């Protein structure tokens, strides 16, 4: 590999979920700039031989498996006891520090720079992070600088030491959120840590945090495959998904789109009441990314559920078939859904929260509604449906800012600046 910088990216998966896809796209993009990039994951989905999984490093003998089973059983029982102290905890996703035995992978793989991404779902042990190598951590949510929360919402406990966590419905200063915060403080001490956030909003949050506020902090957006996510035939897209090309389509989709409270399905339903009080034959709501059974109608609006779309070609078809994509999330970093929709030339209506303003230029390639204002969200959906000139500026926004070439170059420059 000559003098190429050797980078190991660590992500819970290489394709399952928005953060995983973002990590994998960066892994591919930097290779075009002379970076020797590999990935280490818990859940491998691609056939990329430069992606290693935990299974490549842990022993496979019966004795180890029995020991690991008992160890995990004990850890899980203890953590279930800890979480059980908070029976009224909120509906948002939270994580403690439970991890997987990674078989010493971080010592066995040859690399110069470690690049962390989303490492939850009991994957990466933070106490195993190396103190003798530069670490880049691209934040896809707020968990790295919070106690247990991935989405702190209106809470600013992370600016001090967490505790009295509203997500846990706790009034205890030394609750589980503080305990995890304290452990992170211990594990981060002595690390050569460099933080990257995909959005300006998240960078501002990190700067205010007690755990990572003193780190080197940079803003580099996520990239996407603009050749794959591109405008195309609406008629062919509708035919692929079994949708009526004669109808207008309002698209709503995300991972766990209906199950995850943060995705804003309830807000979408409320907004649609303001747009469609009467029966409309020419407009359908199209939903993907959920296994939950949803009604065939919401009020007077027909609902077409596409279920879980696992093929990229099907996801692209959904964007191409849509007249507007709605992202009513209550919290967002840099939304993959918004990026992908704009790249396919489909305008987006979303709340003006988080990094949405980095992507959507109000009334140019979409509409930014006032936070949690469902009536304004309804106005945005209606406005996008009425416009005929939003596709070109939507696509232009992505080509100028979020291509693999633009983002890959910026990460390559970051790696080069850290090489010792």
């Amino acid at each position: 590999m000559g003098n190429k910088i050797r980078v190991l990216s660590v992500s819970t998966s290489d394709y399952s979920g928005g953060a995983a896809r973002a990590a994998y796209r960066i892994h591919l993009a930097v290779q075009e700039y002379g970076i020797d990039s590999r990935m280490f994951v818990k859940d491998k989905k691609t056939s990329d031989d430069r992606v290693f999984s935990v299974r490549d490093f842990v022993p496979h003998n019966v004795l180890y498996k029995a020991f690991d089973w008992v160890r995990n059983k004990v850890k899980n029982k203890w953590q279930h006891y800890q979480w059980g102290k908070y029976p009224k905890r909120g509906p948002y996703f939270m994580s403690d520090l439970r991890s997987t035995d990674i078989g010493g992978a971080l010592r066995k793989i040859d690399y110069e720079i470690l690049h962390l991404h989303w490492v939850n779902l009991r994957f990466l042990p933070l106490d195993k992070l190396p103190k003798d190598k530069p670490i880049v951590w691209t934040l896809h949510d707020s968990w790295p600088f919070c106690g247990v929360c991935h989405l702190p919402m209106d809470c600013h406990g992370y600016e001090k030491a967490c505790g009295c966590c509203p997500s846990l419905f706790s009034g205890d200063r030394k609750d589980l959120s503080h305990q995890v915060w304290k452990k992170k403080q211990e594990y981060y001490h002595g690390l050569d840590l460099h933080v990257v956030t995909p959005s300006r909003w998240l960078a501002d949050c990190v700067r205010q945090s007690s755990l990572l506020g003193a780190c080197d902090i940079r803003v580099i957006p996520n990239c996407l495959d603009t050749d794959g996510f591109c405008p195309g035939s609406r008629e062919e897209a509708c035919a692929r998904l079994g949708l009526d090309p004669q109808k207008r389509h309002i698209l709503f989709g995300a991972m766990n789109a209906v199950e995850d409270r943060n995705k804003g399905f309830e807000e979408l339903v409320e907004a649609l009441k303001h747009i469609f009080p009467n029966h409309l034959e020419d407009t359908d709501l199209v939903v993907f990314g959920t296994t939950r059974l949803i009604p065939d109608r919401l009020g007077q609006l027909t609902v077409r559920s596409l279920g879980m779309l696992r093929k990229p070609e099907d996801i692209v078809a959904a964007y191409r078939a849509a007249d507007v994509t709605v992202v009513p999330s209550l919290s967002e970093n840099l939304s993959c859904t918004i990026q992908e929709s704009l790249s396919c030339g489909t305008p987006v209506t979303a709340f003006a929260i988080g990094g949405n303003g980095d992507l959507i230029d109000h009334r140019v390639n979409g509409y930014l509604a006032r936070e949690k204002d469902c009536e304004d969200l309804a106005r945005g959906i209606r406005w996008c449906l009425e416009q005929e000139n939003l596709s070109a500026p939507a696509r232009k926004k992505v080509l100028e800012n979020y291509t693999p070439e633009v983002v890959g170059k910026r990460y390559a420059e970051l790696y080069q600046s850290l090489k010792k």
Side-chain angles (χ1 to χ4, degrees), residues 21-76:
R21 293 196 299 275
Y24 186 68
R25 289 165 181 164
I26 292 168
H27 156 72
L28 295 178
V30 298
Q31 292 179 47
E32 299 301 316
Y33 288 90
I35 302 299
D36 178 10
S37 177
R38 291 177 170 83
M39 284 191 78
F40 175 59
V41 302
K42 180 182 179 183
D43 180 24
K44 181 175 179 178
K45 297 294 187 183
T46 70
S47 59
D48 190 336
D49 60 6
R50 300 179 70 82
V51 177
F52 307 119
S53 78
V54 169
R55 291 188 296 274
D56 298 327
F57 294 91
V58 299
H60 296 285
N61 61 71
V62 175
L63 185 61
Y64 172 81
K65 288 182 178 179
F67 168 75
D68 193 49
W69 184 85
V70 172
R71 176 175 55 186
N72 287 330
K73 196 78 172 176
V74 171
K75 286 196 301 186
N76 288 341

Short mmCIF file of all heavy atoms in Angstrom, two decimals, residues 21-76:
data_model
loop_
_atom_site.label_atom_id
_atom_site.label_comp_id
_atom_site.label_asym_id
_atom_site.label_seq_id
_atom_site.Cartn_x
_atom_site.Cartn_y
_atom_site.Cartn_z
N ARG A 21 -24.91 3.41 6.74
CA ARG A 21 -24.74 3.71 5.31
C ARG A 21 -23.83 4.93 5.13
O ARG A 21 -23.00 4.96 4.22
CB ARG A 21 -26.09 3.94 4.64
CG ARG A 21 -26.95 2.68 4.57
CD ARG A 21 -28.09 2.83 3.58
NE ARG A 21 -29.02 3.90 3.92
CZ ARG A 21 -30.03 3.77 4.75
NH1 ARG A 21 -30.26 2.62 5.36
NH2 ARG A 21 -30.85 4.79 4.99
N ALA A 22 -23.99 5.92 6.02
CA ALA A 22 -23.12 7.10 5.94
C ALA A 22 -21.67 6.71 6.17
O ALA A 22 -20.76 7.18 5.47
CB ALA A 22 -23.57 8.14 6.96
N ALA A 23 -21.42 5.85 7.16
CA ALA A 23 -20.06 5.41 7.47
C ALA A 23 -19.45 4.65 6.29
O ALA A 23 -18.28 4.86 5.93
CB ALA A 23 -20.07 4.53 8.71
N TYR A 24 -20.25 3.78 5.68
CA TYR A 24 -19.73 2.98 4.57
C TYR A 24 -19.44 3.87 3.35
O TYR A 24 -18.45 3.66 2.64
CB TYR A 24 -20.73 1.89 4.20
CG TYR A 24 -20.21 0.92 3.16
CD1 TYR A 24 -19.16 0.06 3.45
CD2 TYR A 24 -20.75 0.90 1.88
CE1 TYR A 24 -18.66 -0.82 2.50
CE2 TYR A 24 -20.26 0.03 0.91
CZ TYR A 24 -19.22 -0.84 1.23
OH TYR A 24 -18.71 -1.70 0.28
N ARG A 25 -20.28 4.85 3.11
CA ARG A 25 -20.05 5.76 1.99
C ARG A 25 -18.75 6.54 2.17
O ARG A 25 -18.01 6.77 1.22
CB ARG A 25 -21.23 6.72 1.84
CG ARG A 25 -22.51 6.06 1.32
CD ARG A 25 -23.71 6.95 1.53
NE ARG A 25 -24.95 6.34 1.07
CZ ARG A 25 -26.17 6.76 1.40
NH1 ARG A 25 -26.31 7.81 2.21
NH2 ARG A 25 -27.24 6.14 0.94
N ILE A 26 -18.47 6.96 3.41
CA ILE A 26 -17.22 7.67 3.68
C ILE A 26 -16.03 6.74 3.48
O ILE A 26 -15.01 7.12 2.90
CB ILE A 26 -17.24 8.24 5.12
CG1 ILE A 26 -18.29 9.36 5.22
CG2 ILE A 26 -15.86 8.77 5.51
CD1 ILE A 26 -18.59 9.80 6.64
N HIS A 27 -16.18 5.49 3.95
CA HIS A 27 -15.14 4.47 3.76
C HIS A 27 -14.80 4.31 2.28
O HIS A 27 -13.61 4.20 1.91
CB HIS A 27 -15.66 3.15 4.36
CG HIS A 27 -15.05 1.91 3.82
ND1 HIS A 27 -13.74 1.53 4.08
CD2 HIS A 27 -15.57 0.93 3.02
CE1 HIS A 27 -13.49 0.37 3.48
NE2 HIS A 27 -14.58 0.00 2.81
N LEU A 28 -15.80 4.29 1.41
CA LEU A 28 -15.55 4.17 -0.03
C LEU A 28 -14.98 5.46 -0.61
O LEU A 28 -14.06 5.43 -1.44
CB LEU A 28 -16.85 3.82 -0.75
CG LEU A 28 -17.49 2.45 -0.45
CD1 LEU A 28 -18.79 2.31 -1.22
CD2 LEU A 28 -16.54 1.31 -0.78
N ALA A 29 -15.51 6.60 -0.17
CA ALA A 29 -15.12 7.88 -0.75
C ALA A 29 -13.64 8.19 -0.53
O ALA A 29 -12.97 8.69 -1.43
CB ALA A 29 -15.99 9.00 -0.17
N VAL A 30 -13.13 7.91 0.67
CA VAL A 30 -11.74 8.29 0.97
C VAL A 30 -10.73 7.42 0.21
O VAL A 30 -9.59 7.84 0.01
CB VAL A 30 -11.46 8.25 2.48
CG1 VAL A 30 -12.34 9.24 3.22
CG2 VAL A 30 -11.63 6.84 3.05
N GLN A 31 -11.16 6.24 -0.21
CA GLN A 31 -10.24 5.39 -0.98
C GLN A 31 -9.85 6.03 -2.30
O GLN A 31 -8.77 5.78 -2.83
CB GLN A 31 -10.88 4.02 -1.22
CG GLN A 31 -11.06 3.20 0.05
CD GLN A 31 -11.72 1.85 -0.21
OE1 GLN A 31 -11.34 1.13 -1.13
NE2 GLN A 31 -12.72 1.51 0.59
N GLU A 32 -10.73 6.88 -2.83
CA GLU A 32 -10.44 7.57 -4.08
C GLU A 32 -9.38 8.66 -3.89
O GLU A 32 -8.88 9.22 -4.86
CB GLU A 32 -11.72 8.19 -4.65
CG GLU A 32 -12.80 7.17 -4.98
CD GLU A 32 -12.33 6.14 -6.00
OE1 GLU A 32 -11.69 6.53 -6.99
OE2 GLU A 32 -12.59 4.94 -5.77
N TYR A 33 -9.03 8.96 -2.64
CA TYR A 33 -8.02 9.98 -2.34
C TYR A 33 -6.79 9.36 -1.70
O TYR A 33 -6.07 9.99 -0.91
CB TYR A 33 -8.62 11.07 -1.45
CG TYR A 33 -9.58 11.94 -2.22
CD1 TYR A 33 -10.93 11.61 -2.29
CD2 TYR A 33 -9.14 13.06 -2.92
CE1 TYR A 33 -11.81 12.39 -3.02
CE2 TYR A 33 -10.02 13.84 -3.66
CZ TYR A 33 -11.35 13.49 -3.70
OH TYR A 33 -12.21 14.25 -4.45
N GLY A 34 -6.54 8.09 -2.01
CA GLY A 34 -5.30 7.44 -1.59
C GLY A 34 -5.29 6.96 -0.15
O GLY A 34 -4.21 6.73 0.42
N ILE A 35 -6.46 6.82 0.47
CA ILE A 35 -6.53 6.34 1.85
C ILE A 35 -6.74 4.83 1.85
O ILE A 35 -7.61 4.30 1.15
CB ILE A 35 -7.68 7.02 2.63
CG1 ILE A 35 -7.50 8.54 2.61
CG2 ILE A 35 -7.76 6.49 4.05
CD1 ILE A 35 -6.22 9.05 3.25
N ASP A 36 -5.93 4.11 2.62
CA ASP A 36 -6.09 2.66 2.79
C ASP A 36 -7.13 2.44 3.89
O ASP A 36 -6.80 2.36 5.07
CB ASP A 36 -4.75 2.04 3.17
CG ASP A 36 -4.84 0.54 3.41
OD1 ASP A 36 -5.89 -0.05 3.11
OD2 ASP A 36 -3.86 -0.04 3.92
N SER A 37 -8.40 2.40 3.48
CA SER A 37 -9.51 2.36 4.44
C SER A 37 -10.06 0.94 4.60
O SER A 37 -10.31 0.24 3.62
CB SER A 37 -10.64 3.29 3.98
OG SER A 37 -11.74 3.21 4.86
N ARG A 38 -10.24 0.55 5.87
CA ARG A 38 -10.91 -0.70 6.20
C ARG A 38 -12.00 -0.40 7.23
O ARG A 38 -11.99 0.66 7.86
CB ARG A 38 -9.92 -1.72 6.76
CG ARG A 38 -8.93 -2.25 5.72
CD ARG A 38 -7.93 -3.21 6.35
NE ARG A 38 -7.13 -3.90 5.35
CZ ARG A 38 -6.05 -3.40 4.78
NH1 ARG A 38 -5.64 -2.18 5.12
NH2 ARG A 38 -5.37 -4.09 3.88
N MET A 39 -12.92 -1.34 7.39
CA MET A 39 -13.99 -1.17 8.37
C MET A 39 -14.04 -2.38 9.29
O MET A 39 -13.76 -3.51 8.88
CB MET A 39 -15.36 -1.01 7.70
CG MET A 39 -15.62 0.34 7.08
SD MET A 39 -17.36 0.54 6.58
CE MET A 39 -18.14 0.89 8.18
N PHE A 40 -14.44 -2.12 10.53
CA PHE A 40 -14.66 -3.17 11.52
C PHE A 40 -16.08 -3.00 12.05
O PHE A 40 -16.44 -1.93 12.54
CB PHE A 40 -13.65 -3.05 12.66
CG PHE A 40 -13.88 -4.02 13.79
CD1 PHE A 40 -13.90 -5.38 13.58
CD2 PHE A 40 -14.08 -3.54 15.08
CE1 PHE A 40 -14.13 -6.26 14.63
CE2 PHE A 40 -14.31 -4.40 16.14
CZ PHE A 40 -14.33 -5.77 15.91
N VAL A 41 -16.91 -4.06 11.91
CA VAL A 41 -18.32 -3.95 12.25
C VAL A 41 -18.78 -5.16 13.07
O VAL A 41 -18.13 -6.20 13.09
CB VAL A 41 -19.20 -3.84 10.98
CG1 VAL A 41 -18.79 -2.65 10.14
CG2 VAL A 41 -19.15 -5.13 10.15
N LYS A 42 -19.91 -4.98 13.71
CA LYS A 42 -20.56 -6.09 14.41
C LYS A 42 -21.46 -6.87 13.46
O LYS A 42 -21.52 -8.09 13.49
CB LYS A 42 -21.39 -5.54 15.58
CG LYS A 42 -22.13 -6.60 16.39
CD LYS A 42 -22.94 -5.94 17.50
CE LYS A 42 -23.70 -6.96 18.33
NZ LYS A 42 -24.54 -6.31 19.36
N ASP A 43 -22.17 -6.16 12.60
CA ASP A 43 -23.17 -6.74 11.71
C ASP A 43 -22.81 -6.41 10.27
O ASP A 43 -23.10 -5.32 9.79
CB ASP A 43 -24.56 -6.19 12.07
CG ASP A 43 -25.66 -6.75 11.20
OD1 ASP A 43 -25.48 -7.85 10.64
OD2 ASP A 43 -26.70 -6.09 11.07
N LYS A 44 -22.16 -7.35 9.58
CA LYS A 44 -21.72 -7.11 8.21
C LYS A 44 -22.82 -7.45 7.22
O LYS A 44 -23.36 -8.56 7.23
CB LYS A 44 -20.46 -7.92 7.90
CG LYS A 44 -19.91 -7.69 6.49
CD LYS A 44 -18.60 -8.42 6.25
CE LYS A 44 -18.12 -8.17 4.81
NZ LYS A 44 -16.81 -8.82 4.53
N LYS A 45 -23.16 -6.50 6.36
CA LYS A 45 -24.21 -6.69 5.36
C LYS A 45 -23.65 -6.73 3.93
O LYS A 45 -24.25 -7.34 3.06
CB LYS A 45 -25.24 -5.57 5.46
CG LYS A 45 -26.00 -5.52 6.78
CD LYS A 45 -26.88 -6.73 6.97
CE LYS A 45 -27.75 -6.59 8.21
NZ LYS A 45 -28.57 -7.81 8.45
N THR A 46 -22.54 -6.04 3.69
CA THR A 46 -21.98 -5.99 2.34
C THR A 46 -21.04 -7.17 2.11
O THR A 46 -20.68 -7.91 3.04
CB THR A 46 -21.19 -4.69 2.13
OG1 THR A 46 -19.98 -4.74 2.91
CG2 THR A 46 -22.01 -3.47 2.53
N SER A 47 -20.61 -7.32 0.86
CA SER A 47 -19.64 -8.37 0.50
C SER A 47 -18.23 -7.79 0.38
O SER A 47 -17.32 -8.45 -0.13
CB SER A 47 -20.05 -9.04 -0.81
OG SER A 47 -20.13 -8.08 -1.86
N ASP A 48 -18.05 -6.59 0.85
CA ASP A 48 -16.77 -5.88 0.76
C ASP A 48 -15.71 -6.63 1.57
O ASP A 48 -15.84 -6.80 2.79
CB ASP A 48 -16.95 -4.45 1.30
CG ASP A 48 -15.77 -3.55 1.04
OD1 ASP A 48 -14.65 -4.07 0.85
OD2 ASP A 48 -15.96 -2.32 1.03
N ASP A 49 -14.62 -7.06 0.90
CA ASP A 49 -13.58 -7.80 1.62
C ASP A 49 -12.69 -6.90 2.46
O ASP A 49 -11.79 -7.37 3.16
CB ASP A 49 -12.74 -8.65 0.66
CG ASP A 49 -12.02 -7.83 -0.40
OD1 ASP A 49 -12.08 -6.58 -0.34
OD2 ASP A 49 -11.41 -8.43 -1.30
N ARG A 50 -12.92 -5.59 2.42
CA ARG A 50 -12.21 -4.65 3.28
C ARG A 50 -13.00 -4.33 4.54
O ARG A 50 -12.63 -3.45 5.31
CB ARG A 50 -11.88 -3.37 2.51
CG ARG A 50 -11.02 -3.59 1.28
CD ARG A 50 -10.74 -2.29 0.54
NE ARG A 50 -9.84 -1.43 1.29
CZ ARG A 50 -8.52 -1.54 1.31
NH1 ARG A 50 -7.93 -2.52 0.63
NH2 ARG A 50 -7.77 -0.72 2.00
N VAL A 51 -14.10 -5.06 4.74
CA VAL A 51 -14.90 -4.93 5.95
C VAL A 51 -14.75 -6.19 6.78
O VAL A 51 -15.04 -7.29 6.31
CB VAL A 51 -16.39 -4.70 5.61
CG1 VAL A 51 -17.23 -4.63 6.89
CG2 VAL A 51 -16.57 -3.42 4.79
N PHE A 52 -14.28 -6.03 8.02
CA PHE A 52 -14.12 -7.15 8.95
C PHE A 52 -15.27 -7.14 9.95
O PHE A 52 -15.76 -6.08 10.32
CB PHE A 52 -12.80 -7.04 9.72
CG PHE A 52 -11.59 -6.86 8.86
CD1 PHE A 52 -10.80 -5.73 8.98
CD2 PHE A 52 -11.23 -7.81 7.92
CE1 PHE A 52 -9.68 -5.54 8.19
CE2 PHE A 52 -10.11 -7.65 7.12
CZ PHE A 52 -9.33 -6.51 7.25
N SER A 53 -15.66 -8.32 10.40
CA SER A 53 -16.69 -8.40 11.43
C SER A 53 -16.12 -9.00 12.70
O SER A 53 -15.04 -9.61 12.69
CB SER A 53 -17.89 -9.23 10.94
OG SER A 53 -17.58 -10.61 11.01
N VAL A 54 -16.86 -8.84 13.80
CA VAL A 54 -16.44 -9.40 15.08
C VAL A 54 -16.17 -10.89 14.96
O VAL A 54 -15.24 -11.43 15.58
CB VAL A 54 -17.52 -9.13 16.14
CG1 VAL A 54 -17.26 -9.93 17.41
CG2 VAL A 54 -17.59 -7.65 16.47
N ARG A 55 -16.96 -11.58 14.14
CA ARG A 55 -16.81 -13.03 13.99
C ARG A 55 -15.43 -13.42 13.48
O ARG A 55 -15.00 -14.56 13.68
CB ARG A 55 -17.88 -13.57 13.04
CG ARG A 55 -19.29 -13.52 13.60
CD ARG A 55 -20.27 -14.24 12.67
NE ARG A 55 -20.37 -13.59 11.37
CZ ARG A 55 -21.18 -12.59 11.11
NH1 ARG A 55 -21.97 -12.10 12.06
NH2 ARG A 55 -21.22 -12.05 9.90
N ASP A 56 -14.73 -12.49 12.83
CA ASP A 56 -13.40 -12.79 12.33
C ASP A 56 -12.35 -12.83 13.44
O ASP A 56 -11.22 -13.29 13.20
CB ASP A 56 -12.97 -11.72 11.30
CG ASP A 56 -13.88 -11.68 10.09
OD1 ASP A 56 -14.39 -12.74 9.70
OD2 ASP A 56 -14.10 -10.57 9.55
N PHE A 57 -12.71 -12.38 14.66
CA PHE A 57 -11.70 -12.23 15.71
C PHE A 57 -12.00 -13.01 16.99
O PHE A 57 -11.08 -13.34 17.73
CB PHE A 57 -11.54 -10.74 16.06
CG PHE A 57 -10.98 -9.94 14.93
CD1 PHE A 57 -11.82 -9.34 14.00
CD2 PHE A 57 -9.61 -9.80 14.76
CE1 PHE A 57 -11.31 -8.61 12.93
CE2 PHE A 57 -9.09 -9.07 13.70
CZ PHE A 57 -9.94 -8.48 12.78
N VAL A 58 -13.26 -13.30 17.28
CA VAL A 58 -13.57 -14.01 18.52
C VAL A 58 -13.41 -15.51 18.33
O VAL A 58 -13.64 -16.02 17.22
CB VAL A 58 -14.99 -13.68 19.02
CG1 VAL A 58 -15.13 -12.21 19.32
CG2 VAL A 58 -16.04 -14.14 18.02
N PRO A 59 -13.00 -16.25 19.36
CA PRO A 59 -12.87 -17.71 19.25
C PRO A 59 -14.21 -18.37 18.95
O PRO A 59 -15.27 -17.85 19.30
CB PRO A 59 -12.36 -18.11 20.65
CG PRO A 59 -11.77 -16.87 21.22
CD PRO A 59 -12.58 -15.74 20.68
N HIS A 60 -14.15 -19.52 18.28
CA HIS A 60 -15.37 -20.23 17.91
C HIS A 60 -15.52 -21.55 18.65
O HIS A 60 -16.44 -22.32 18.37
CB HIS A 60 -15.38 -20.49 16.40
CG HIS A 60 -15.43 -19.25 15.57
ND1 HIS A 60 -16.57 -18.49 15.43
CD2 HIS A 60 -14.46 -18.61 14.86
CE1 HIS A 60 -16.32 -17.45 14.65
NE2 HIS A 60 -15.04 -17.49 14.30
N ASN A 61 -14.61 -21.82 19.61
CA ASN A 61 -14.71 -23.10 20.31
C ASN A 61 -15.84 -23.10 21.34
O ASN A 61 -16.29 -22.04 21.80
CB ASN A 61 -13.37 -23.45 20.98
CG ASN A 61 -12.96 -22.41 22.01
OD1 ASN A 61 -13.56 -22.30 23.09
ND2 ASN A 61 -11.94 -21.61 21.68
N VAL A 62 -16.28 -24.26 21.72
CA VAL A 62 -17.44 -24.42 22.61
C VAL A 62 -17.19 -23.81 23.98
O VAL A 62 -18.07 -23.18 24.57
CB VAL A 62 -17.80 -25.91 22.74
CG1 VAL A 62 -18.92 -26.11 23.76
CG2 VAL A 62 -18.21 -26.49 21.39
N LEU A 63 -15.96 -23.96 24.49
CA LEU A 63 -15.64 -23.45 25.82
C LEU A 63 -15.79 -21.94 25.87
O LEU A 63 -16.38 -21.37 26.80
CB LEU A 63 -14.22 -23.85 26.21
CG LEU A 63 -13.78 -23.49 27.64
CD1 LEU A 63 -14.67 -24.19 28.66
CD2 LEU A 63 -12.31 -23.86 27.85
N TYR A 64 -15.26 -21.25 24.84
CA TYR A 64 -15.38 -19.79 24.81
C TYR A 64 -16.83 -19.37 24.71
O TYR A 64 -17.27 -18.43 25.38
CB TYR A 64 -14.58 -19.21 23.64
CG TYR A 64 -14.85 -17.73 23.47
CD1 TYR A 64 -14.19 -16.80 24.28
CD2 TYR A 64 -15.80 -17.27 22.57
CE1 TYR A 64 -14.45 -15.45 24.17
CE2 TYR A 64 -16.08 -15.92 22.46
CZ TYR A 64 -15.41 -15.01 23.25
OH TYR A 64 -15.69 -13.68 23.15
N LYS A 65 -17.59 -20.04 23.83
CA LYS A 65 -18.99 -19.67 23.64
C LYS A 65 -19.77 -19.81 24.94
O LYS A 65 -20.62 -18.98 25.26
CB LYS A 65 -19.61 -20.53 22.55
CG LYS A 65 -19.13 -20.19 21.15
CD LYS A 65 -19.83 -21.05 20.11
CE LYS A 65 -19.37 -20.66 18.70
NZ LYS A 65 -20.03 -21.51 17.67
N ALA A 66 -19.47 -20.87 25.71
CA ALA A 66 -20.16 -21.07 26.99
C ALA A 66 -19.79 -19.96 27.98
O ALA A 66 -20.66 -19.40 28.67
CB ALA A 66 -19.81 -22.44 27.56
N PHE A 67 -18.50 -19.63 28.03
CA PHE A 67 -18.04 -18.56 28.92
C PHE A 67 -18.66 -17.22 28.54
O PHE A 67 -19.13 -16.46 29.39
CB PHE A 67 -16.51 -18.47 28.86
CG PHE A 67 -15.95 -17.24 29.52
CD1 PHE A 67 -15.90 -17.13 30.90
CD2 PHE A 67 -15.50 -16.18 28.74
CE1 PHE A 67 -15.40 -15.98 31.50
CE2 PHE A 67 -15.00 -15.04 29.33
CZ PHE A 67 -14.94 -14.94 30.72
N ASP A 68 -18.68 -16.92 27.22
CA ASP A 68 -19.23 -15.65 26.74
C ASP A 68 -20.73 -15.56 27.03
O ASP A 68 -21.24 -14.50 27.37
CB ASP A 68 -18.96 -15.52 25.25
CG ASP A 68 -19.21 -14.11 24.74
OD1 ASP A 68 -18.72 -13.16 25.37
OD2 ASP A 68 -19.90 -13.96 23.72
N TRP A 69 -21.43 -16.68 26.90
CA TRP A 69 -22.87 -16.70 27.18
C TRP A 69 -23.14 -16.36 28.64
O TRP A 69 -24.01 -15.55 28.95
CB TRP A 69 -23.44 -18.07 26.83
CG TRP A 69 -24.93 -18.15 26.98
CD1 TRP A 69 -25.88 -17.81 26.09
CD2 TRP A 69 -25.64 -18.60 28.16
NE1 TRP A 69 -27.14 -18.01 26.59
CE2 TRP A 69 -27.03 -18.50 27.86
CE3 TRP A 69 -25.25 -19.09 29.40
CZ2 TRP A 69 -28.01 -18.85 28.78
CZ3 TRP A 69 -26.23 -19.45 30.31
CH2 TRP A 69 -27.58 -19.33 30.01
N VAL A 70 -22.37 -16.99 29.54
CA VAL A 70 -22.55 -16.73 30.98
C VAL A 70 -22.20 -15.29 31.31
O VAL A 70 -22.92 -14.61 32.04
CB VAL A 70 -21.67 -17.70 31.81
CG1 VAL A 70 -21.71 -17.31 33.29
CG2 VAL A 70 -22.16 -19.13 31.63
N ARG A 71 -21.09 -14.81 30.74
CA ARG A 71 -20.66 -13.43 31.01
C ARG A 71 -21.72 -12.42 30.57
O ARG A 71 -22.06 -11.49 31.31
CB ARG A 71 -19.34 -13.16 30.29
CG ARG A 71 -18.85 -11.72 30.41
CD ARG A 71 -17.50 -11.54 29.78
NE ARG A 71 -17.49 -11.97 28.38
CZ ARG A 71 -16.38 -12.01 27.63
NH1 ARG A 71 -15.22 -11.68 28.16
NH2 ARG A 71 -16.45 -12.40 26.38
N ASN A 72 -22.25 -12.59 29.37
CA ASN A 72 -23.28 -11.68 28.88
C ASN A 72 -24.56 -11.78 29.68
O ASN A 72 -25.25 -10.78 29.90
CB ASN A 72 -23.57 -11.96 27.39
CG ASN A 72 -22.44 -11.48 26.50
OD1 ASN A 72 -21.76 -10.51 26.81
ND2 ASN A 72 -22.23 -12.16 25.39
N LYS A 73 -24.89 -12.99 30.13
CA LYS A 73 -26.09 -13.18 30.93
C LYS A 73 -25.99 -12.38 32.22
O LYS A 73 -26.93 -11.70 32.64
CB LYS A 73 -26.25 -14.67 31.25
CG LYS A 73 -27.63 -15.08 31.74
CD LYS A 73 -28.60 -15.16 30.59
CE LYS A 73 -29.92 -15.76 31.04
NZ LYS A 73 -30.92 -15.77 29.93
N VAL A 74 -24.82 -12.45 32.86
CA VAL A 74 -24.61 -11.72 34.13
C VAL A 74 -24.67 -10.21 33.89
O VAL A 74 -25.33 -9.47 34.62
CB VAL A 74 -23.26 -12.11 34.76
CG1 VAL A 74 -22.94 -11.20 35.94
CG2 VAL A 74 -23.27 -13.57 35.20
N LYS A 75 -23.97 -9.73 32.83
CA LYS A 75 -23.97 -8.30 32.52
C LYS A 75 -25.39 -7.80 32.21
O LYS A 75 -25.79 -6.74 32.67
CB LYS A 75 -23.05 -8.00 31.34
CG LYS A 75 -21.57 -8.08 31.67
CD LYS A 75 -20.71 -7.40 30.61
CE LYS A 75 -20.88 -8.00 29.25
NZ LYS A 75 -19.92 -7.40 28.27
N ASN A 76 -26.11 -8.58 31.45
CA ASN A 76 -27.46 -8.15 31.07
C ASN A 76 -28.40 -8.12 32.26
O ASN A 76 -29.24 -7.22 32.37
CB ASN A 76 -28.01 -9.07 29.98
CG ASN A 76 -27.32 -8.85 28.63
OD1 ASN A 76 -26.70 -7.82 28.42
ND2 ASN A 76 -27.41 -9.83 27.75
#
